[in-house]
Amino acid sequence: MNDYTVIGAGIGGTACSVLLSKKYKTTLFEKEPYLGGCASTFQRGNYFYNSGATTFAGYKEGTFLYKFFKENNIEFNKKLLDSSLTVLIGDKKIKRLRDFDSFIFEINQAFPNKKNLEFYTLIYNINKEFFQINDYYYSNKNLFSKLSSLYSFKTLFKKFYSYLFIKADKFINGFFQGISKEYLDFIDNQVLIVAQAKTNEVNFLTCALALGYQFMPNYYIYGGMGSIFEAMSEKIQDLRVNEFIQKIERTKNSFIVHSNKTTIESKNIVLNSSLFESSCLFEDKQIKEYISKYKKFDLGVSAFMVYFKINTNRIFDSHYQIILDNILENTISNSLFVSFGSNDDIKMKGSITVSIHTKNSFWYENTKEKKQELKDIIKKIICQKLNIKEDEIIKCFAATPLTFKRYINRTSLGGIAVKFNNFVFRLPSNDTPIKGLYNVGDTTFAAQGWPGVMLGVQNFQRLI
């Protein structure tokens, strides 16, 4: 019998499997032949692409992310970036530089304002202080556990109380004593990348943490994001790829996991599958009722992706955000996130990943026609804004939420939006009221991306 069986090899599932493999009999199941989920690297034809616009941020001494890789001797080839993102908005080009003074010069050139230095100093200090606090955990196993874990957040509450209960747009407007529509659109779209919501939907603490990720170390990963998972996989006790979980039975003291190839009994289950789409794995009434409680947080938001392979020796920045005047049809966003393979990366050179927010419901009908139409629109924008010529494009194809459902078995991407009315303690924890059932990933505590999901992994480690 297994001690732990992990379902899904995204960031959370793979990291948990590494930690569990050191002490417990552990198996990790992954439907695809490669690990990573939304953060994976896949091959199509002769070329490789990153599945999503994932960035590797927050890898610095003092964080759990850094500690995890160092303590487990996991090495991968990376390059520290001076700029996390280049933003194109109107006729402006703004680099979100890691160096504070250089960024202040950059933002003052684009959006002159006497309060800029004071505002971004506040953002910088909030982020620095937030990540120094590490004495909290979050449990949702029962009422006593939840209240106890709430008390553990006392330091965070005391430090950031004044930012928790004010909407970000209200705070920003008051701070700047009025802000231009274009400047707010710039800030909104930076926050959207991290929080999956804009400033009128989040509190100012969430906004500050989203804006502050540029001041963290951001890295380019050679060989694609998948190379991180390849390095992690070497530390996993029992890894089973190309195995799809058909159902999980709950017994009195264990779970019976049925894949398309085998059956395993396990004392504990760790779900790295999207919480919203995990209900179908179970017949147990209590588990189904628990999962259904959080269905209200599933807004059916996902991503529409366009992948390019181009042939050029021109040098591009690693990441761009292109902010448009209007929301594109069949999307819910006016910004594109664009990631480039580096010219000195043999495997990924000329590979481009483009993403934009959309809703699942847009793609249930006339998918083929809408997919082609939106792909062509995005292709035209990318070529115009980044000066890519048509004859430089070797491959160009797109993916809808239904494509992701087919390959990584989840339709909604990007995790739970950290909105003002979705206060963190209403969100799913990494433990559950069901003995032996745990969750990790971007649909549970704490948030999406490497820093957020790994905070959830740290929380899971504390809970067990």
Side-chain angles (χ1 to χ4, degrees), residues 69-87:
F69 285 105
K70 287 299 180 182
E71 289 191 351
N72 291 288
N73 298 312
I74 298 170
E75 299 290 338
F76 48 93
N77 194 8
K78 56 191 177 296
K79 173 173 62 179
L80 182 61
L81 300 174
D82 292 329
S83 173
S84 63
L85 187 65
T86 299
V87 183

Side-chain angles (χ1 to χ4, degrees), residues 143-162:
L143 182 59
F144 176 79
S145 296
K146 186 164 188 172
L147 292 174
S148 297
S149 67
L150 289 179
Y151 182 73
S152 76
F153 280 79
K154 59 186 183 298
T155 307
L156 275 174
F157 273 127
K158 185 177 179 180
K159 192 75 178 176
F160 302 112
Y161 179 82
S162 60

Side-chain angles (χ1 to χ4, degrees), residues 15-271:
C16 280
S17 298
V18 170
L19 294 173
L20 292 169
S21 291
K22 295 163 75 172
K23 293 183 178 180
Y24 305 100
K25 186 178 180 182
T26 303
T27 298
L28 170 61
F29 283 100
E30 169 54 46
K31 173 182 177 289
E32 290 300 304
Y34 47 82
L35 311 188
C38 305
S40 63
T41 301
F42 69 93
Q43 183 175 6
R44 178 161 170 163
N46 296 322
Y47 308 118
F48 291 88
Y49 309 87
N50 283 321
S51 296
T54 309
T55 59
F56 191 72
Y59 181 80
K60 66 174 183 176
E61 196 163 354
T63 65
F64 177 73
L65 180 63
Y66 182 90
K67 179 182 176 182
F68 170 82
F69 285 105
K70 287 299 180 182
E71 289 191 351
N72 291 288
N73 298 312
I74 298 170
E75 299 290 338
F76 48 93
N77 194 8
K78 56 191 177 296
K79 173 173 62 179
L80 182 61
L81 300 174
D82 292 329
S83 173
S84 63
L85 187 65
T86 299
V87 183
L88 306 178
I89 177 170
D91 60 353
K92 298 178 173 67
K93 180 178 180 180
I94 306 125
K95 285 182 177 287
R96 294 188 64 188
L97 296 161
R98 180 167 46 91
D99 180 77
F100 184 81
D101 292 336
S102 300
F103 172 72
I104 293 301
F105 177 82
E106 191 88 359
I107 200 71
N108 277 331
Q109 291 292 107
F111 300 109
N113 193 298
K114 63 182 180 180
K115 301 282 280 185
N116 276 337
L117 176 59
E118 185 182 350
F119 180 74
Y120 289 101
T121 299
L122 176 63
I123 298 297
Y124 182 90
N125 288 334
I126 286 174
N127 277 264
K128 182 179 178 181
E129 292 167 3
F130 181 88
F131 287 103
Q132 286 176 346
I133 299 170
N134 197 30
D135 60 350
Y136 56 87
Y137 71 98
Y138 178 43
S139 173
N140 210 11
K141 185 167 59 176
N142 52 51
L143 182 59
F144 176 79
S145 296
K146 186 164 188 172
L147 292 174
S148 297
S149 67
L150 289 179
Y151 182 73
S152 76
F153 280 79
K154 59 186 183 298
T155 307
L156 275 174
F157 273 127
K158 185 177 179 180
K159 192 75 178 176
F160 302 112
Y161 179 82
S162 60
Y163 307 133
L164 285 170
F165 301 103
I166 182 169
K167 281 196 173 181
D169 62 337
K170 183 178 179 181
F171 181 95
I172 291 168
N173 196 56
F175 189 95
F176 284 101
Q177 297 178 334
I179 186 171
S180 72
K181 182 178 180 298
E182 188 180 39
Y183 195 2
L184 184 59
D185 196 22
F186 167 81
I187 293 174
D188 268 337
N189 280 287
Q190 310 315 296
V191 175
L192 181 65
I193 295 170
V194 178
Q196 302 297 300
K198 295 189 176 182
T199 55
N200 64 338
E201 300 175 296
V202 302
N203 64 36
F204 182 68
L205 178 61
T206 299
C207 171
L209 295 175
L211 290 175
Y213 96 92
Q214 76 174 85
F215 301 125
M216 295 180 175
N218 280 259
Y219 288 86
Y220 176 83
I221 306 300
Y222 286 95
M225 279 288 165
S227 64
I228 303 178
F229 294 93
E230 289 170 9
M232 292 166 72
S233 69
E234 296 175 6
K235 308 292 182 177
I236 297 171
Q237 193 178 111
D238 180 20
L239 172 60
R240 306 195 184 190
V241 296
N242 288 311
E243 284 204 46
F244 178 74
I245 303 304
Q246 296 173 323
K247 68 175 181 177
I248 303 173
E249 296 179 72
R250 183 187 181 193
T251 67
K252 185 177 181 181
N253 296 307
S254 67
F255 298 87
I256 310 297
V257 181
H258 300 273
S259 80
N260 59 327
K261 295 182 180 179
T262 190
T263 297
I264 286 181
E265 186 175 7
S266 185
K267 295 176 186 175
N268 301 281
I269 296 291
V270 182
L271 294 175

Side-chain angles (χ1 to χ4, degrees), residues 369-384:
E369 293 82 359
K370 288 189 290 187
K371 182 178 180 181
Q372 181 67 40
E373 182 181 341
L374 184 54
K375 185 198 80 170
D376 290 343
I377 291 170
I378 291 174
K379 179 181 175 183
K380 183 177 180 180
I381 292 169
I382 296 298
C383 289
Q384 288 177 343

